[in-house]
Amino acid sequence: MGKLIPAPRVFFPAAGLLVLFVVVTALFPVQMGEWIGTANRTVVQDLAWWYIAIVAAFVFFSVWIAASHMGNIVLGKDGDGPEFSLGSWFAMLFAAGMGIGLVFWGVAEPLNHYAATPPGLDGDTSAEKARTAMDVTFLHWGLHAWAIYVVVGLAVAYSVHRRGNPISLRWALQPLLGDRVRGFWGDVIDVIAVLGTLFGVATSLGLGVSQIGAGLGYLGVVDGPSTWLLVGLIIVITAIATVSVVTGIDKGIKWLSNINMAMAVAMVIAILVVGPTVFILSDFVTQIGSYVQNFFRLSFNGMPFEEEGKQWLGGWTTFYWGWWMSWAPFVGVFIARISKGRTVREFIVGVLLVPTIVTFIWFSVMGGTALYQELFQGGGLVGQDGTVNSSTALFQLIETVAPSISTLLSIVAIALIVIFFVTSSDSGSFVVDMLSSGGNLNPPVWSRTLWATLGGAVAAVLLLAGAAAGGDANPLSALQTMAILLALPFSIVMVLMCVATAKGLVSENRFRQRKQRQWLAEQVAAEMENYKK
């Protein structure tokens, strides 16, 4: 059993809880859907202040570490050089910044905020609505998201590369918990990370199939994206992901990731060229300044004086912060693995800035083009009732901006989502398998297949539960609510990670400075002796 399942105290509780959740939700979809809707109206909406506070703290924590002397510490043994060249490292960070979420929300989020200005923010004129829409979108996808990944990635990289521990989140808390990470509390940390990651991946898969179904409907391939069609898509694409798992990380994930990056870049360039190019570039430059100018005001905006503030935050900011925290073990482990030999400062600056800039370019091109259509080209992307169909928004934009090649670009978009789906499931199951097997870098194929299947099953039953309950618990909100709820225990783990990482780095930095002063004193003493002679 030890060889088959190296960490049974993590594997069995995590797998057992996930199987139980899938079975109960499949048997009682209406009741689970209603419970999720109730949780969304109560618990989730009351979490906004906590998530806003800690995510802002993660940004300041990252900046503090990078700007201090601790930034000089190498994530590896002293003298180790970077494992990858700067260009390759940036390319992999660029890839980490891409995903189903960007494809789904690239057009939809700015349009949603334009159609319905967030409570308490500027929106008296169309121009103010557009500026506010991009400000809020940049907030959700900018430094805050990547500061969350910095916290986990830095903790894991320091633990693994500097202190020589296995790739497991429990060891990142060793400076704080000591040998207790080997026992019960270490198991709890890893189980929380596994569950959070699976639900985070499941949320992305749900968003992905919703957009694939909408795209197929938009192209006339199917009559309409029914819930059962979405479940069928999850089954098919999870099967493809399983094949990718079986082929191994080199042949599967890397090959698909390279294809996807090329397709994503091609799509952005196509929209940039056929769309309002000068407007997009002007919007990008202007929006960077607006993001910096409004950074603090938006970062701490808990909307306590707005009647609909809690509800809006629960559907947007709280969801995003919870979603990013659900993804943090997956992305954190990935960026930690590729960052051996980098200094702490290089790691933080690179992880904060490179993916953020890539994301801002994506939203400026996709979202900026959509806003241009609404402002200057007669609209058509926002419905007569003031609503936005988030699943079809991308395909509507493509048809409006590039009618001659709309079918081709729509097919590319669907392929992009499918491959993101496969790589997310593949990579997510790989990281989850590492965490559930005690940090094994080459986990067995059977267990990776199990985790990939469970991720698809969670997404499928949550879509069914949301559809069965109706009302407040629509299919996507059910996925969003579970991502937020599962991120709550991991948010506490992340706060402890900040404390543990700071404790380890401060202690090592003091030791290094003490040795430097000692060495300097010895050099001065030696010089004085020579001088006396």
Side-chain angles (χ1 to χ4, degrees):
M1 181 63 75
K3 290 184 178 180
L4 188 63
I5 302 175
R9 295 182 308 181
V10 175
F11 180 90
F12 285 117
L17 287 170
L18 282 166
V19 170
L20 179 64
F21 177 84
V22 169
V23 171
V24 170
T25 307
L27 293 176
F28 307 102
V30 176
Q31 293 86 340
M32 282 297 291
E34 291 173 348
W35 176 83
I36 290 169
T38 302
N40 186 40
R41 290 189 302 272
T42 55
V43 180
V44 168
Q45 293 183 17
D46 289 336
L47 287 175
W49 70 271
W50 167 247
Y51 280 7
I52 289 170
I54 62 168
V55 172
F58 293 156
V59 176
F60 295 119
F61 169 81
S62 302
V63 173
W64 168 58
I65 295 292
S68 69
H69 289 295
M70 293 178 282
N72 297 321
I73 295 174
V74 176
L75 296 173
K77 303 303 180 185
D78 287 329
D80 281 354
E83 193 171 4
F84 298 98
S85 68
L86 193 62
S88 297
W89 187 59
F90 280 164
M92 285 185 279
L93 291 178
F94 176 84
M98 298 296 295
I100 291 174
L102 271 184
V103 182
F104 187 90
W105 292 114
V107 174
E109 181 166 355
L111 281 179
N112 270 281
H113 299 322
Y114 175 80
T117 302
L121 299 182
D122 297 333
D124 293 334
T125 66
S126 295
E128 285 183 353
K129 288 181 180 180
R131 172 67 65 84
T132 297
M134 292 300 286
D135 282 344
V136 174
T137 301
F138 274 32
L139 170 74
H140 291 154
W141 292 83
L143 296 177
H144 293 76
W146 287 94
I148 291 172
Y149 298 147
V150 163
V151 168
V152 178
L154 179 61
V156 172
Y158 182 67
S159 170
V160 172
H161 302 315
R162 187 72 177 174
R163 302 171 72 96
N165 292 318
I167 298 182
S168 182
L169 294 193
R170 69 174 68 199
W171 293 103
L173 274 76
Q174 190 182 30
L176 184 64
L177 299 180
D179 286 340
R180 281 174 291 185
V181 297
R182 301 176 184 272
F184 172 77
W185 290 111
D187 297 336
V188 169
I189 291 165
D190 283 343
V191 169
I192 288 173
V194 168
L195 295 177
T197 301
L198 254 294
F199 275 89
V201 171
T203 302
S204 296
L205 303 190
L207 293 175
V209 294
S210 296
Q211 197 170 29
I212 293 169
L216 293 175
Y218 204 76
L219 291 172
V221 178
V222 296
D223 292 333
S226 67
T227 303
W228 283 106
L229 171 65
L230 303 186
V231 172
L233 287 170
I234 288 176
I235 294 171
V236 170
I237 302 176
T238 301
I240 298 173
T242 303
V243 172
S244 178
V245 166
V246 172
T247 61
I249 187 169
D250 290 334
K251 295 179 182 177
I253 298 175
K254 290 183 179 179
W255 185 68
L256 289 172
S257 295
N258 290 336
I259 292 176
N260 230 28
M261 288 305 305
M263 290 172 63
V265 171
M267 172 165 280
V268 166
I269 292 174
I271 298 296
L272 178 64
V273 170
V274 301
T277 307
V278 174
F279 174 86
I280 291 170
L281 297 175
S282 299
D283 179 42
F284 174 70
V285 173
T286 303
Q287 209 53 49
I288 293 292
S290 185
Y291 175 72
V292 173
Q293 182 181 359
N294 295 293
F295 183 83
F296 289 97
R297 180 172 65 90
L298 292 175
S299 295
F300 294 95
N301 190 5
M303 300 184 180
F305 308 114
E306 308 301 330
E307 186 176 348
E308 298 178 357
K310 286 171 58 177
Q311 182 180 353
W312 187 89
L313 288 170
W316 290 103
T317 306
T318 310
F319 160 62
Y320 272 121
W321 294 173
W323 192 19
W324 301 149
M325 283 188 272
S326 295
W327 271 81
F330 164 32
V331 179
V333 168
F334 172 74
I335 59 179
R337 285 186 67 192
I338 65 173
S339 300
K340 183 178 181 180
R342 298 282 165 196
T343 65
V344 169
R345 184 174 296 111
E346 281 180 312
F347 176 86
I348 293 174
V349 172
V351 172
L352 279 182
L353 294 186
V354 174
T356 296
I357 291 171
V358 170
T359 303
F360 285 178
I361 292 172
W362 179 274
F363 276 103
S364 294
V365 173
M366 310 304 289
T369 303
L371 291 176
Y372 180 85
Q373 294 299 315
E374 289 299 311
L375 288 168
F376 305 115
Q377 298 296 315
L381 300 177
V382 178
Q384 294 294 325
D385 57 353
T387 60
V388 176
N389 188 329
S390 298
S391 297
T392 61
L394 173 62
F395 303 104
Q396 290 176 280
L397 177 71
I398 289 172
E399 186 176 41
T400 302
V401 176
S404 60
I405 55 171
S406 61
T407 301
L408 174 63
L409 285 180
S410 295
I411 292 172
V412 170
I414 292 173
L416 197 61
I417 301 161
V418 170
I419 298 177
F420 271 135
F421 191 137
V422 172
T423 54
S424 296
S425 178
D426 195 336
S427 305
S429 62
F430 179 75
V431 170
V432 164
D433 207 5
M434 278 200 303
L435 296 176
S436 64
S437 61
N440 183 5
L441 290 174
N442 294 295
V445 171
W446 71 266
S447 55
R448 287 179 63 190
T449 304
L450 171 69
W451 294 118
T453 304
L454 280 174
V458 167
V461 296
L462 280 174
L463 282 174
L464 289 174
D472 291 331
N474 65 66
L476 287 183
S477 76
L479 287 159
Q480 292 174 342
T481 300
M482 290 306 299
I484 296 169
L485 290 177
L486 266 293
L488 178 59
F490 191 67
S491 70
I492 298 170
V493 173
M494 289 186 65
V495 171
L496 296 176
M497 278 184 173
C498 288
V499 177
T501 304
K503 184 179 179 182
L505 289 172
V506 167
S507 176
E508 180 173 343
N509 190 57
R510 284 176 177 169
F511 175 78
R512 288 159 59 94
Q513 288 181 331
R514 189 164 57 249
K515 287 294 185 182
Q516 287 174 352
R517 287 194 297 268
Q518 182 180 342
W519 177 83
L520 183 60
E522 290 173 354
Q523 293 298 309
V524 171
E527 286 295 325
M528 290 296 293
E529 286 296 325
N530 290 334
Y531 178 75
K532 289 178 182 178
K533 292 178 181 178

